[in-house]
């Protein structure tokens, strides 16, 4: 198993964590601004996402939630015109520091997208451990087998697919595909898992299963989830941040804090209006 | 001895002969690659030392050479005749509804046709040679080669020598140098000329298109089963380019015996065209092999041995099958001179040298015919040609014919009823060609009808390659292509049918009001 | 965060809260906060219905409603076809005012016209237009198929003598009958009959030339396509533009280029390698272009997914992008190959022509199949022409076989499986499951000694942090 | 930096300075690539550069070789002279290039509706096995060697299409391009040679050769028309053709134009088939039904064998002109495709 | 407007409707079974959708709601392997009868999909009246103008787009696109409008707007809406049908009736469990 997780071991050699010593996975966004070309879409957003907890990002459409999320694991750079300012610290290290490898940042901070995107050319088995292959981690057959089972169990998918592990991943239902993507992300043991509206294309049953999966990750992986669904935010998250972009201005965080406080007695009127369904 | 592989290219006119020899020596373990991409390409590749030998109808230099041709080998080379043959005139001419197979032409008329002077099939110059034939009043489409070609060079050489005025007129119209033959037929601006690429293109086009005539190697019309024009020689007889007819004619070729000339052994054919022997075919010519006379580039002595072996075989043994292929074998005197040229090839090996010596000895000193040349009878002078001696005389040529020809023939009657044409040279019609008339065996099997308006034939496609005779409908419609009876009739009938078929339901629909639609429809 | 979060909002409450604004809920709660302008509800709202109670549990399978073509459609086409043919016959055969050869054309025109009228009588405007264009589309398809059939038919008929000879009574044993495929023309002269000679030399030439060309083009072409699609940049755009322009490079120009740059300058003789290079120049842009198109179809979200897993660009290309478009890439290669195999002009300029078998691509002329066909057809002898067309037909067969092979190797689109494959995969899945379970048991028997957890050490390290974080929030809404 | 407050029941509202006071400018982010990625980028761009070099070599080779000939007559004369007689230093590409373009245009006019129809037929009408068969047939058609098309055109098509050409010129001869000089309607005997070897017949054969490549490009783009838009049209009560008009065709426009340009490019460069069919003339002939036409590629194929030195340079100059023409066509095509929707977008 | 809607008047000449005499648009599905290939997905489903009212179809994923909906306007036939048994009567006429034209069935019974699908190449204006063009209905410019405004107003979109009617429809936000699709369907004056999860890809604001649009259509057009969102079903519909497919069996309607009855006191336990979020 050494080869398999040697990359992880290396990470422990890194400088001591500042914010969270007990558990790795604390993520801090510090003073983030973001642009697409000359169009500023985020203005000095700071947020600390506690290790092992679930943080929900809510807010109306177009306020920059996805952009913020993609900044957290350097997917923002993929868009040619995109640029940003600020720091994102994972366990104290700025992932944008020149010494940081983009690939290790992304391996440590996994991501699940709105639309499930299993690799069509791979079987369910291969999809699950695709992260190993892609990150160049060697593992024996037995190690892989165990990892596949564990990851699929984590994603509450094992029982549904254990009889068709060699079938292509595209043949699953939408919800199953989404959970396969979660399993795939978990297989590389990320410290943080980002989810951009992971359930918005799913039916309630599948949504429930995904939410259960998120529950079960609590305490092990830091989860940041963007959702449009207030109840979902209430159900799964312990922390919550409300994003808003007024007409023609960049998005900002209006209010953040513990989820129950956000929903029970928000301080800002706009937050209150939003979480009570009066707009957005 | 093991012979390395050599390659050459050139004449498609002589292509079949070269190919036959290549196949023959391959059976003896000698490999020759030959591409018949035309004399001009052959000369060029040979000059650029890309090929080991070339075959061409015309030399690099001299007035018979093509002035457009700028390629010259920079190292020594030798030139030797290898095969003789005749340029034939294949035609596709329907007369009275079927393909006409007995066209006779004078050299004058040929020159007229191919220089654009004669443009209609019923031109008096043609009619006079074909009395009694209902020649159609239609344009002659002359099909010529569009690529550079030795056949064209030989043919224009004939025009330049035999009909310089006509050739000059052609050159004036289409732009060429009247002092030289050319490999590119000058057809620009001649509206009834069509150029096609390669012998194959020319003959395929001719076979598929009526009222056409072309010039090319005799093997092509033979292969397609198409007739060739019987050309009137100086004796007034009509001949086709059979092996004996060509051999007879080429006895009059004047050989360049100046061994120092680059065109040593090239032939001056001026006398061939006007030869009075009734058996001769006027448009006869040679094709030449160009070989290196020194090692050069990739051509070393070992390859020289192969080339010499091949050349020796071609000149002797190889001449046997020439008749079957539509060529004429070389006479012994040319073979001997050619062998001298072969000896210049670097690296001739002992076996080949011995074989060549045996041939020379046999011919000059009574050592038999080890060369197995079909024109040579052991003991004869090398300049004697068995083929010429045994060549049959045309029908209607009496005993007087055996000598230089003197009189008007009598005997076999004309094929067609004569019209009383005062200009006809021979009252009884012309004698037929000597031997195996080209399309004598062509079967009249493919009958079909073609519409004169549209040109669509009921069995279209049967013409190509079938050797059949395509019958045309002999009906003559007066001015049928304008707006006339049939067209009006067509329209009227069309309208009538339309009204009958479509009218009632339409009327019904209109009467019942436009609104009634199928149930459920609510646009 | 010091105490477990108690659910401030539960699913049910939310539902209830929402329902307060809905008219249904409003009616239910009898506390309408919103008055909707609705048609007054029927006096007595029925209770709900359980429709299954009235049904059999296991009914016989009823027939199915036939949808698709109605009899009306079929009859319209048939009727119009018949009428068109009749009119055609009247014009051509009966009246004779149009030559018989035009029968089909005339009938077709009338068929279209009459069909439009028939449809018009019973259908509204758009349907007429639809049917008219349907006929046009069918016709376009038919014309394309017919032209190909004519080309192939002409080729086969022109080369039939070769086939006839193969089946002739006196053709000898099977090996002798098939001489056309394993003999060359080395010892076969123009006068030889069809019982001798074949195209083995050209087949060898084609295989070697296309083989060399593929050895160069496949890696180079695919690398370049990947460069265009995955690396990008201004230079890549320039390369793409040049490559696109080069797809229309006249083949004869490519031949000239190699002739001057390779044969005149270096080899001083015709050879198969030069021909392969000329084919390469022609195949490269075609292959790059079609591969580039295919690569561009890979959804961006797959690349993102790969990158989000921490993969480098190379890993994403190799493990995600290329496998996803494998069948498309195979098609690109085959298209290029099929094109290269049929090239004539550049081979003529560079490989020369020969009737002899030549295995050495670096020395001496080497014929390929299309060139052999052209050369055969150029000859005056009918046997040679027959050989030429038979060669062309054989070339078509070779290409066809290539296509089939490519389809087998390339397989279907990534992610689609045929019924047969599905069965196989199901069996494999069973094997994999058994293996995993075996591994698990073994691991547990080994691992039970220390902690009894069914997880590989690495995973433990990952998912079971050394110290439990205090006050781990628990699920709140169960 | 603000951390989430430690008390669960209080939320935080971050303070933002007045809008506009913010002066942060984008941060420069350096991407450190893995070694494998650097190697990958290096290798693949090397591939690209090699291909570019090969392609440029062809262009440079043509240009260098053409210079001698073009310099001898001057570019203006080279472009305007119709004759081709490099031996007498009197040559130009006016006629050959016009002929090339005419043949290509005829081919396009025939091939465009045919391939549009066929590709729509394949994507919209044919289903299942029939559809797959059709795709294979079209692919096979692309693989038929051009020499076979040429021979077919020469020996089969020509004889069978002349009747149509005649009909066209008889009835539509008043349109200049359909006129045939020397046609004699009064003569009952056919003069088929007038209509043979024409731009029209060469164009027809070339059309068949470019149909497959055009069809497959169009089919590709049509088949990607989003199913949602298709269903949207059907749900509005559209007929199949209505759906094609409003969804498939607009979506596939880029593919249609791209395919057409690709076909045009191939038509411009087609060699052997044209070489076998046309009767080359060195005068501009707009009468497409009349015998006599020309094309740059066919001219090169016709003359390369005998050419060397200056005459070869002249051929190269013609090749260069053709090359530039195809370049222009392709640049136009890629610009148009670049602006259109189909293909570019990955509808996940 | 006369020519434009004359066809509508004609329809009143048709045989009297059995189920609904007051208002056209009554839709009755009678004993519908459906298959994909040999896979049966609906078993003898019968449902009457009252004219002018909103009927919601609810049920867990994969139970055949979409299939049922697509059978209602003959979109089911688009899938090559699909087949069905039963009758669908629009105002008494079986739309599957051989004499019925598929295009007119679909024009009478409009459909809005989960993913908004405006014609991207057309302007907003042209998108709105695209139905006329597709049905070959001729209209003057003035008629069209009126129709565009009417339809966009009905879809509550007019104010948002009236200034950019000539811009392409693809440039609108997701919710606006969805309402544009509704407007487009309304422009051909359908008697029935089918909606398959019209809001599941939309943010709350857009969802609200679409629901308002549905409210405003009540009484004019029969609406059948598939939704995963129980609250939505409760908010917008007056009638409701609960679909269910047990493991490996075709989908059936377990219970149907007035929405308030379904939510307040369902008779079937499964319905009760589903509407109370206990499964699905
Ligand atoms: N690739 C891009 N190029 C330019 N602008 C973009 C791009 N992606 C997003 N934007 C703009 O950035 C802003 C924020 O977008 P973002 O996707 O982050 O919003 P969001 O909150 O995720 O919205 P939603 O809830 O709809 O997903 C929007 O105004 C959007 O138009
Ligand atoms: N094109 C198809 N081919 C084969 N089977 C299909 C197809 N479409 C749907 N099915 C199957 O038919 C059944 C019913 O599907 P349907 O889409 O109607 O469910 P649904 O209730 O709309 O689900 P959802 O809520 O996820 O949209 C499912 O089992 C599904 O797998
Ligand atoms: Mg987003
Ligand atoms: Mg559905
Ligand atoms: O023999 P030629 O091809 O030059 O006529």
């Amino acid at each position: 198993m050494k080869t398999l997780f040697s990359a992880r071991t290396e990470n422990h050699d890194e400088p001591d964590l500042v914010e969270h010593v007990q558990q790795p996975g604390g993520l801090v966004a510090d003073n983030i601004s973001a642009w697409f070309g000359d169009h500023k879409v985020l203005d000095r957003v700071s947020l600390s996402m506690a290790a092992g907890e679930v943080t929900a990002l809510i807010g109306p459409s177009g306020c920059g939630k996805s952009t913020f999320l993609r900044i957290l694991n350097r997917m923002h750079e993929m868009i040619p015109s995109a640029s940003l300012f600020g720091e994102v610290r994972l366990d104290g290290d700025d992932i944008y520091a020149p010494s940081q490898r983009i690939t290790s940042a992304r391996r440590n901070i996994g991501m699940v997208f709105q639309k499930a995107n299993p690799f069509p050319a791979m079987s369910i088995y291969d999809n699950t451990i695709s992260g190993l292959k892609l990150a160049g981690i060697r593992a024996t057959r037995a190690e892989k087998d165990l990892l596949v089972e564990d990851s699929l169990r984590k994603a509450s998918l094992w029982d549904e697919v254990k009889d068709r592990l060699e079938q292509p991943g595209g043949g699953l239902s939408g919800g199953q595909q989404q959970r396969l993507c979660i399993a795939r992300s978990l297989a590389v043991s990320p410290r943080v898992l980002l989810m951009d509206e992971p359930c918005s294309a799913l039916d309630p049953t599948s949504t429930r299963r995904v939410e259960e999966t998120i529950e079960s990750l609590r305490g092990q992986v830091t989860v940041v989830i963007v959702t449009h669904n207030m109840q979902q935010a209430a159900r799964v998250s312990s922390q919550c941040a409300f994003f808003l972009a007024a007409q023609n201005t960049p998005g900002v965080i209006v209010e953040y804090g513990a989820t129950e406080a956000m929903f029970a007695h928000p301080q800002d009127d706009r937050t209150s209006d939003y979480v009570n369904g009066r707009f957005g | 001895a093991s012979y390395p592989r050599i390659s050459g290219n050139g004449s498609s006119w002589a292509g079949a002969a070269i190919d036959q020899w290549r196949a023959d020596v391959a059976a003896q373990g000698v490999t020759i690659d030959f591409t018949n991409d035309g004399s001009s390409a052959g000369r060029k590749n040979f000059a650029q030392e890309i090929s080991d030998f070339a075959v061409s109808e015309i030399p690099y230099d001299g007035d018979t050479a093509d002035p457009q041709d700028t390629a010259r080998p920079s190292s020594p080379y030798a030139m030797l005749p290898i095969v003789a043959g005749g340029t034939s005139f294949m035609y596709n001419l329907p007369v009275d509804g079927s393909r006409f197979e007995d066209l006779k032409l004078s050299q004058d008329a040929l020159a007229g046709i191919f220089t654009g002077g004669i443009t209609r099939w019923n031109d008096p110059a043609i009619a006079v040679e074909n009395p009694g034939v209902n020649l159609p009043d239609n344009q002659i489409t002359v099909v010529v080669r569009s690529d550079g070609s030795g056949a064209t060079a030989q043919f224009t050489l004939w025009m330049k020598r035999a009909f310089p005025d006509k050739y000059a007129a052609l050159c004036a119209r289409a732009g060429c140098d009247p002092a030289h033959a050319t490999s590119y037929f000058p057809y620009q601006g001649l509206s009834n000329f069509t150029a096609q690429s390669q012998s194959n293109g020319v003959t395929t086009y001719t076979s598929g298109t009526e009222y056409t005539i072309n010039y090319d190697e005799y093997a092509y019309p033979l292969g397609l089963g198409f007739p060739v024009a019987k050309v009137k020689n100086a004796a007034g007889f009509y001949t086709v380019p059979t092996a004996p007819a060509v051999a007879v004619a080429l006895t009059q070729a004047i050989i360049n015996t100046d061994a120092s000339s680059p065109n040593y052994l090239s032939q001056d054919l001026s006398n061939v065209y006007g030869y009075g022997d009734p058996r001769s075919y006027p448009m006869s010519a040679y094709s030449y092999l160009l070989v290196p006379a020194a090692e050069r580039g990739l051509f070393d002595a070992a390859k020289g041995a192969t080339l010499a072996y091949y050349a020796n075989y071609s000149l002797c043994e190889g001449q046997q099958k020439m008749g079957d292929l539509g060529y004429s074998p070389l006479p012994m005197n040319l073979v001997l001179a050619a062998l001298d040229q072969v000896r210049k090839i670097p690296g001739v090996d002992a076996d080949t040298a011995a074989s060549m010596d045996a041939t020379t000895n046999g011919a000059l000193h009574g050592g038999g015919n080890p060369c197995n040349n079909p024109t040579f009878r052991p003991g004869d002078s090398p300049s004697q040609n068995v083929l010429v001696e045994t060549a049959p005389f045309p029908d209607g040529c009496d005993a007087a014919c055996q000598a230089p020809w003197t009189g008007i023939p009598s005997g076999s009657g004309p094929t067609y009823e004569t019209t009383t044409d005062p200009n006809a040279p021979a009252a009884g019609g012309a004698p037929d060609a000597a031997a195996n008339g080209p399309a004598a065996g062509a079967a009249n099997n493919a009958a079909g009808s073609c519409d004169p308006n549209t040109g669509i034939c009921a069995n279209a496609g049967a013409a190509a390659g079938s050797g059949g005779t395509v019958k045309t409908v002999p009906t003559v419609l007066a001015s049928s292509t304008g707006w006339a009876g049939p067209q009006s009739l067509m329209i009227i009938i069309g309208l009538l049918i339309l009204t009958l078929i479509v009218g009632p339901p339409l009327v019904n629909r209109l009467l019942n009001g436009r609104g009634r639609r199928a149930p459920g429809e609510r646009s | 965060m010091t105490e477990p979060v108690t659910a401030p909002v539960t699913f049910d409450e939310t539902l209830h809260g929402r329902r307060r604004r809905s008219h249904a809920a409003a009616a239910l709660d009898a506390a309408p906060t919103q008055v909707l302008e609705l048609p007054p509800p029927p006096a007595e709202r029925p209770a709900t219905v359980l429709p299954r109670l009235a049904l059999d549990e296991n009914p016989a399978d009823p027939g199915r409603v036939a949808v698709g073509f109605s009899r009306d459609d079929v009859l319209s086409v048939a009727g119009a076809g018949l009428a068109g043919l009749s009119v055609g016959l009247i014009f051509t055969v009966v009246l004779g005012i149009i030559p018989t050869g035009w029968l089909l054309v005339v009938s077709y025109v009338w068929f279209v016209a009459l069909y439009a009228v028939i449809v018009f009588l019973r259908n509204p405007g758009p349907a007429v237009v639809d049917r008219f264009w349907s006929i046009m589309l069918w016709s376009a398809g038919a014309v394309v198929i017919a032209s190909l059939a004519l080309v192939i038919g002409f080729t086969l008929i022109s080369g039939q003598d070769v086939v006839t000879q193969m089946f002739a009574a006196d053709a000898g044993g099977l090996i002798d009958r098939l001489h056309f495929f394993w003999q060359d023309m080395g010892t076969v002269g123009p006068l030889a009959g069809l019982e001798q000679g074949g195209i083995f030399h050209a087949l060898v030439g084609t295989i070697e030339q296309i083989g060399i060309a593929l050895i160069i083009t496949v890696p180079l072409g695919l690398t370049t396509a990947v460069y265009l699609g995955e690396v990008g940049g201004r230079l890549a755009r320039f390369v793409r533009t040049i490559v696109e322009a080069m797809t229309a490079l006249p083949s004869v120009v490519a031949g000239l280029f190699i002739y001057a740059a390779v044969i005149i300058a270096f080899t001083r003789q015709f050879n198969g390698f030069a021909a392969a290079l000329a084919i390469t120049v022609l195949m490269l842009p075609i292959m790059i272009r079609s591969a580039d198109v295919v690569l561009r179809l890979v959804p961006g979200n797959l690349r993102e997914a790969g990158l989000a897993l921490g993969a480098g660009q190379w890993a994403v290309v190799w493990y995600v992008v290329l496998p996803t478009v494998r069948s498309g890439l195979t098609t690109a290669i085959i298209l290029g190959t099929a094109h290269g195999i049929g090239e004539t002009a550049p081979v003529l300029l560079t490989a020369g022509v020969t009737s002899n078998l030549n295995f050495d691509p670096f020395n001496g002329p080497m014929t390929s199949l299309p060139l052999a066909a052209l050369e055969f057809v150029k000859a005056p002898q009918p046997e040679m022409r027959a050989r030429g067309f038979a060669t062309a037909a054989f070339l078509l067969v070779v290409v066809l076989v290539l296509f089939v092979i490519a389809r087998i190797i390339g397989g279907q689109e990534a992610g689609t499986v045929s019924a047969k494959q599905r069965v196989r995969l199901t069996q494999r899945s069973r094997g994999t499951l058994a293996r995993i379970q075996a591994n698990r048991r073994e691991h547990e028997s080994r691992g039970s000694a220390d902690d009894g957890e069914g997880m590989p050490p690495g995973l433990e390290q990952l998912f079971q942090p050394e110290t439990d974080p205090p006050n781990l929030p628990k699920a709140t809404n169960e | 930096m603000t951390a989430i407050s430690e008390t669960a029941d209080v939320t935080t509202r971050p303070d933002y300075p007045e809008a506009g006071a913010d002066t942060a400018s984008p941060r420069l982010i350096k991407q450190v690539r893995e070694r494998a990625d650097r190697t990958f980028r290096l290798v693949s761009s090397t591939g690209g550069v090699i291909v570019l070099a090969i392609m440029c070599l062809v262009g440079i080779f043509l240009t260098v070789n053409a210079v001698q000939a073009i310099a001898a007559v001057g570019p203006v004369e080279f472009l305007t002279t119709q004759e081709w007689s490099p031996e007498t230093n009197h040559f130009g590409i006016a006629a050959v290039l016009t002929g090339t373009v005419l043949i290509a245009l005829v081919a396009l006019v025939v091939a465009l509706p045919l391939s549009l129809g066929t590709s729509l037929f394949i994507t919209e009408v044919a289903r299942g096995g029939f559809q797959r068969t059709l795709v294979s047939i079209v692919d096979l058609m692309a693989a038929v060697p051009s020499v076979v098309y040429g021979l077919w055109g020469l020996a089969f098509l020509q004889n069978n299409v002349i009747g149509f050409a005649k009909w066209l010129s008889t009835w539509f001869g008043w349109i200049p391009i359909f006129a045939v000089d020397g046609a004699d309607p009064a003569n009952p005997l056919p003069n088929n040679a007038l209509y043979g070897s024409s731009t029209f017949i060469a164009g027809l054969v070339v059309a068949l050769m470019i149909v497959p490549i055009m069809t497959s490009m169009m089919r590709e783009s049509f088949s990607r028309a989003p199913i949602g838009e298709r269903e949207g049209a059907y749900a509005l009560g559209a007929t199949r053709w209505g759906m094609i008009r409003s969804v498939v065709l607009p979506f596939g426009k880029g593919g249609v134009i791209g395919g057409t340009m690709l076909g045009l490019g191939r038509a411009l460069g087609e060699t052997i088939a044209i070489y076998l069919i046309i009767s080359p003339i060195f005068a501009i002939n707009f009468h497409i039904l009349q015998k006599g036409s020309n094309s740059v590629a066919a001219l090169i194929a016709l003359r390369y064998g005998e050419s060397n030195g200056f005459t070869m340079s002249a051929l190269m100059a013609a090749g260069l002109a053709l090359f530039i023409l195809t370049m222009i066509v392709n640049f136009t095509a890629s610009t148009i495709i670049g602006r259109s929707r189909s293909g570019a977008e990955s509808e996940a």
Side-chain angles (χ1 to χ4, degrees), chain D residues 91-178:
Chain D
F91 64 97
I93 49 163
V96 243
L97 208 58
T98 316
T100 311
V101 172
L102 277 177
I103 292 177
L105 285 182
V106 170
L108 263 198
V109 166
V110 176
L112 183 60
L114 212 53
S115 38
L116 251 180
T118 309
S119 47
L120 284 175
F121 183 67
I122 292 175
T123 53
E124 308 302 321
V125 180
R127 287 278 165 269
F130 185 39
Q131 188 178 35
R132 282 193 297 277
T133 314
L134 274 174
V135 171
S136 308
I137 284 181
V138 172
D139 281 351
L140 181 63
M141 205 170 163
V144 174
S146 48
V147 55
V148 174
Y149 279 114
L151 293 170
W152 178 75
L154 177 68
F156 179 83
L157 183 71
Q158 172 142 279
N159 296 332
N160 288 290
V161 92
I162 277 181
F164 177 69
K166 250 180 176 170
W167 176 82
L168 209 58
S169 88
T170 308
W171 294 99
F172 297 95
W174 48 272
I175 304 172
I177 57 162
F178 293 141

Side-chain angles (χ1 to χ4, degrees), chain A residues 1 5 8-9 12 22-24 50 52-53 70 73 75 78 103 106-107 109-111 113 115 117-122 125 130-131 133-135 141-143 145-150 154 158 162-168 184-186 188-190 208 211 215 217-221 231 234-235 238-239 259-260 263-264 276-277, chain C residues 1 3-11 14-15 18 21 300-313 315-316 319-320 323-324 414-417 421-423 425-426 428-430 432-433 435-437 439-440 443 454-459 461-478:
Chain A
M1 291 309 280
F5 295 108
R8 176 153 189 100
T9 324
H12 287 289
Q22 330 94 306
Q23 185 185 359
E53 308 228 359
R70 291 166 63 90
N73 76 338
M75 293 299 280
M78 298 241 342
T103 49
R106 290 189 184 142
R107 192 153 65 245
I109 307 173
M111 188 159 193
F113 301 83
K115 178 156 190 320
N117 49 9
F119 301 126
M122 295 184 193
Y125 184 100
S130 56
K133 225 168 160 186
L134 284 165
R141 180 49 70 185
E143 288 165 352
D145 282 352
L146 294 178
L147 186 61
V148 165
E149 185 182 342
D150 283 340
K154 285 272 150 206
W158 173 251
K162 65 170 187 252
D163 294 326
R164 40 176 170 162
L165 289 170
E166 298 296 341
Q167 308 270 11
R184 177 175 74 182
S185 301
L186 292 177
V188 290
S189 21
R208 188 76 48 87
E211 288 178 9
E215 290 292 346
L217 294 177
R218 200 183 285 267
Q220 301 170 19
V221 181
Q231 296 128 303
R235 281 197 297 272
S238 62
Q239 316 237 345
T259 305
E260 68 264 46
F263 282 87
N276 290 312
Chain C
M1 260 208 315
E3 62 200 70
V5 178
T6 53
V9 186
T10 67
F11 182 79
T14 317
L15 179 63
R18 290 286 187 184
R21 280 192 304 280
N301 67 23
L302 283 187
R303 289 195 187 87
E304 289 202 348
L307 292 175
L309 284 171
Q313 195 178 14
V316 170
Y319 291 115
V320 176
T324 303
T416 59
V417 283
Q421 277 172 312
R422 186 172 295 283
V423 171
L425 287 179
T426 308
R428 273 230 327 256
S429 303
R430 228 172 276 146
T432 307
L433 179 63
R435 196 187 63 220
I436 291 177
Q437 283 166 342
N439 272 326
R440 169 66 60 195
H443 178 77
M455 230 179 222
L459 289 178
Q461 192 184 352
L462 167 62
F463 293 121
Q464 303 286 319
E466 297 87 336
T467 49
D468 269 4
N471 310 319
L472 182 68
K474 287 284 164 241
T476 53
N477 58 343
E478 293 302 309

Side-chain angles (χ1 to χ4, degrees), chain A residues 27-40:
Chain A
L27 194 62
V28 176
D30 191 359
N31 209 20
I32 299 285
S33 299
W35 294 259
F36 286 109
D38 284 338
H39 177 49
K40 192 169 187 180

